[in-house]
Amino acid sequence: MLLLGLAGMALGLLLDLRGPGLDILSSLCRTDAGPDLLATLRLHWMWLPAMHVGMVVLPLGWSARHCRAMPLLRQLACSVWMMIGMTGGALVAGLLPGWPAGPVGMLIMMCAGMACGMLAGRAMRRLIFSSRLLRSKLELVHG
């Protein structure tokens, strides 16, 4: 899933680079006002629409051929977590004093953020699943 998301991100980014260029886009994540995840995510969607669509469509397109409805929803949720992680990684890159805040540094942190977002989504899913399983076992024991 992560590889498909990264591939979709790269393909979409190639389309988006016809616009303002990587230097301008990497400066979006460096703000003097401090990190604002929603504002950065909105700017990313405005300036990098193909990148975000590619991150969602490529993994879902592969999943649609191999899965039914519920796994598709899980894949969509995973894509959303990866997008949030990618935006968070870009914000962190803009705040780190020693990190190269150029385009390559931003892309590295965006990819790392995608991986962290995917892991967070899986951890959340396991937590929800284990809490449901625990509740059902408690109901069986108590009656």
Side-chain angles (χ1 to χ4, degrees), residues 61-124:
W62 179 83
S63 297
R65 293 190 337 217
H66 303 287
C67 301
R68 291 194 292 225
M70 198 50 134
L72 278 176
L73 291 175
R74 247 192 333 254
Q75 298 289 49
L76 183 60
C78 185
S79 291
V80 168
W81 277 102
M82 285 193 320
M83 247 183 270
I84 291 169
M86 178 194 66
T87 305
L91 283 172
V92 168
L95 295 174
L96 292 175
W99 184 258
V104 174
M106 276 304 158
L107 288 174
I108 290 170
M109 286 300 283
M110 287 166 63
C111 292
M114 281 176 67
C116 290
M118 185 174 148
L119 290 173
R122 288 196 182 234
M124 186 70 69

Side-chain angles (χ1 to χ4, degrees), residues 137-143:
K137 285 183 179 183
L138 287 174
E139 288 174 3
L140 288 174
V141 171
H142 293 304

